[in-house]
Amino acid sequence: MFEKNMMFPVLLDTYGVLLTERKREILDYYYNEDYSLSEISELTGISRQGVRDAIKKSEEEVYDLEAKLKIIEKSREQSAIVDEIIAQVACISAGTDPDTQVKLQKVIEMLNTVRTADRSDGDIQE
């Protein structure tokens, strides 16, 4: 059975620009628009089997890009590091004077901004 990987849209957002317009279009229909193979076939003029083959080949290309470039993997690692820094700074802040607490709160806010931006740019949440 042909099953969708529901985390694939994050990979598509990250690596889609490296695909041809046609591949990106087919993957967008399938993953983001949730069109069936038959619907994509009608829209693109490709046979249903051709659509299926195009999706599988394009998925392999995207997975290969992640295996080589590791953008999503690095993003996950960085996000985990930021989370740990926030936790450590929060612990330090609890036992310090008010001026230091204000400064540390600013650091936490900056780290939260980085974390939020990182997650909106495609970090996969498992």
Side-chain angles (χ1 to χ4, degrees), residues 76-92:
R76 283 182 186 165
E77 290 170 1
Q78 290 172 348
S79 184
I81 291 168
V82 169
D83 289 345
E84 180 60 26
I85 292 170
I86 289 171
Q88 294 296 325
V89 171
C91 286
I92 294 167

Side-chain angles (χ1 to χ4, degrees), residues 30-43:
Y30 187 67
Y31 281 103
N32 297 329
E33 301 298 327
D34 201 29
Y35 288 178
S36 69
L37 299 178
S38 297
E39 291 169 322
I40 298 169
S41 175
E42 290 176 25
L43 288 168

Side-chain angles (χ1 to χ4, degrees), residues 13 26 35 43-44 54 63 67 75-76 94 111 114 118:
D13 287 345
I26 290 170
Y35 288 178
L43 288 168
T44 61
Y63 286 126
S75 178
R76 283 182 186 165
L111 289 168
V114 170
D118 183 47

Side-chain angles (χ1 to χ4, degrees), residues 87-121:
Q88 294 296 325
V89 171
C91 286
I92 294 167
S93 177
T96 61
D97 64 85
D99 287 339
T100 303
Q101 285 180 351
V102 169
K103 290 175 185 174
L104 290 172
Q105 186 57 42
K106 287 181 183 177
V107 171
I108 290 172
E109 289 170 11
M110 292 184 329
L111 289 168
N112 277 322
T113 301
V114 170
R115 178 175 56 186
T116 302
D118 183 47
R119 289 183 177 159
S120 68
D121 286 343

Side-chain angles (χ1 to χ4, degrees), residues 51-69:
V51 169
R52 183 188 182 288
D53 292 344
I55 290 170
K56 293 308 284 179
K57 287 179 184 175
S58 299
E59 284 175 339
E60 288 173 14
E61 188 174 338
V62 170
Y63 286 126
D64 187 51
L65 286 166
E66 173 60 16
K68 290 177 182 173
L69 301 175

Side-chain angles (χ1 to χ4, degrees), residues 12 15-21 23-24 27 58 61-62 65:
L12 184 56
Y15 296 107
V17 297
L18 300 174
L19 300 173
T20 65
E21 179 65 33
K23 289 177 182 179
R24 192 170 45 251
L27 289 174
S58 299
E61 188 174 338
V62 170
L65 286 166

